Amino acid sequence: MQSSKTVRSSSLGSFNWNEYHNLERIHAWLDELQTMYPNNVKTVSIGRSNEGREIKGVIIDLKPGNRGNNPLTGMIEGGIHSREWISPATVTWIIKEFLTSDDPDTKFMAETFVWHIFPVINPDGYVYSFLNDRMWRKNRNLLYGTNCTTNDDLSNGIDLNRNFDYLWMTVGASSDPCTQTYAGPSPASEPETQAISNYLLSLKRTGNVLYYFAFHSYSQMTLIPYSHLSGIDVLQVTNYADLYEIAIRGAEKLTQKHGTNYQVGTSADILYSVSGSSFDWVKGVGDIPIVYLFELRDVGEYGFLLPPEQIIPNNEEIMACLVEMDRTTRELRYYSGGPSLYASLISIIMSAAFVTIVK
Ligand SMILES: [Zn+2]
């Protein structure tokens, strides 16, 4: 049984999710959105890559001019690893849903926050994965190249998700430029890393940044900071129990959509130990409360080469997950307002009425 409510448009403007799009198309679409929604969408460029490309995103504010001086804010990154094409395809879908969904909980999540959303934060690598090497992961900084024995030009580029200045080069990162996890010559050496770090810190100065989500593939996991902690040590994150509950409830909703299963935990517990990733930095240095890294479909059948037919189902289940996570975050009182506060007010009024009656 499919209600009309669950039938979603698979295009917005000139953009669709039937195939993977290159950087030029994605950036053109962001400009198009600004034209389509002049009061609610503004494109923003937060810096330039090694090769001079814009690190471009959109700011979505569905209630402009009505925010007070400390607006609830969320930030989303995609495409830090260029071969993980499903990541920008997911992040662009989230933009579409925030702008067009008539589902009440999605609308609430979209309207309550000012969203800063960056589909491709490693633009050079993304272009390279379309034009030269489909399996390219890192950025395209050529400065630290050495002669490698491998055939695939691994000597060029730095793994941006090991380059952030939080426990840099502690675990799961390499000082060897020939590896896929080369962390760079120093913490935050890369312009892409600096752009994200500086922008997040600037958002903190002007708003109440509650959310940061990073999208990767593959493995079907919701990862909680910090990526080097396992076992009992995960409790070094003071709100770990909340982060776990939020993620579990999201994953349950995700599974209800298309039967896909996601695991929840720290990377060290369920994937591998890592340091210097963007989302760990956002939690550890940025001190943002609700921070996750999603490893999207699948679990290895296609891996990075996820067929385009899976883009929309992947996106639908992630959206269901995010909305449930937002609802849970609200229930845990990270912010007030919305359906759950209304419901609790009603219950207070009802119980007061009940007390009056029994008296
Ligand atoms: Zn990745």
Side-chain angles (χ1 to χ4, degrees), residues 86 111 124 208 274 334:
I86 188 62
E111 290 172 355
D124 298 347
N208 175 12
V274 168
Y334 280 85

Side-chain angles (χ1 to χ4, degrees), residues 176-211:
D176 177 0
C178 294
T179 64
Q180 292 282 18
T181 56
Y182 176 42
S186 58
S189 58
E190 301 310 293
E192 298 89 351
T193 308
Q194 293 161 17
I196 289 291
S197 308
N198 292 337
Y199 193 71
L200 189 276
L201 294 177
S202 77
L203 286 183
K204 271 196 66 157
R205 286 191 288 273
T206 56
N208 175 12
V209 185
L210 183 61
Y211 290 137

Side-chain angles (χ1 to χ4, degrees), residues 125-143:
Y126 193 64
V127 168
Y128 198 74
S129 74
F130 272 75
L131 298 181
N132 301 85
D133 180 354
R134 175 64 186 84
M135 295 303 278
W136 190 257
R137 165 183 170 94
K138 301 186 282 182
N139 78 351
R140 290 296 301 164
N141 187 342
L142 310 184
L143 283 179

Side-chain angles (χ1 to χ4, degrees), residues 42-81:
K42 211 169 72 140
T43 60
V44 57
S45 180
I46 61 172
R48 288 194 178 266
S49 64
N50 271 284
E51 294 179 343
R53 294 186 176 86
E54 280 186 293
I55 300 170
K56 187 167 178 165
V58 284
I59 303 170
I60 300 178
D61 186 348
L62 295 177
K63 289 187 173 173
N66 194 23
R67 296 282 178 186
N69 58 7
N70 196 31
L72 279 167
T73 301
M75 182 164 166
I76 298 176
E77 63 150 80
I80 197 171
H81 288 146

Side-chain angles (χ1 to χ4, degrees), residues 79-84 87 137 159 161-162 215-218 272 293-295 304:
I80 197 171
H81 288 146
S82 30
R83 64 190 174 187
E84 300 165 8
S87 166
R137 165 183 170 94
D159 183 352
N161 214 39
R162 303 291 183 277
F215 288 92
H216 290 248
S217 72
Y218 56 94
Y272 40 63
L293 185 159
F294 295 88
E295 293 283 1
F304 303 118

